[in-house]
Amino acid sequence: MNAVALIAVMAFVTAMLRFLPFLVFRKRTPAYIVYLGSVLPAALIGMLVVYCLKDVQITSAPHGLPELLAAAAVVLLQAWKRNSLLSILAGTLLYMLLTQLVF
């Protein structure tokens, strides 16, 4: 019974977080919210890239080569196919193959 109550509370909180912006901004969305909606996606992607590459050791072998190749594959696939899921999955697969089998 505890698990059911926990799941119900989590579902309610998740739903409320999704509905809250629509309830708060019924008439007009403030300009700063529109601005944040336009700049935050790129900023978050940049933060994720920095976080993923922060521990790369370029001074010792393999000198960040798996990370560089995987990141280049993600960028090239995204530019070519415009499919984020494909780009991220292919980059992750390439990185794992390089780290487990090559380097």
Side-chain angles (χ1 to χ4, degrees), residues 22-72:
F22 296 104
L23 297 174
V24 172
F25 304 120
R26 283 185 192 191
K27 298 186 191 304
R28 187 175 161 280
T29 305
Y32 68 92
I33 299 293
V34 173
Y35 170 74
L36 288 176
S38 67
V39 297
L40 278 181
L44 290 174
I45 294 296
M47 284 177 41
L48 284 172
V49 169
V50 169
Y51 177 77
C52 289
L53 299 178
K54 70 179 175 51
D55 292 327
V56 174
Q57 297 292 329
I58 59 171
T59 57
S60 60
H63 306 289
L65 199 53
E67 291 86 356
L68 179 66
L69 292 173

Side-chain angles (χ1 to χ4, degrees), residues 10-26:
M10 288 189 299
F12 175 75
V13 169
T14 300
M16 287 312 298
L17 287 174
R18 306 286 175 164
F19 297 141
L20 189 62
F22 296 104
L23 297 174
V24 172
F25 304 120
R26 283 185 192 191

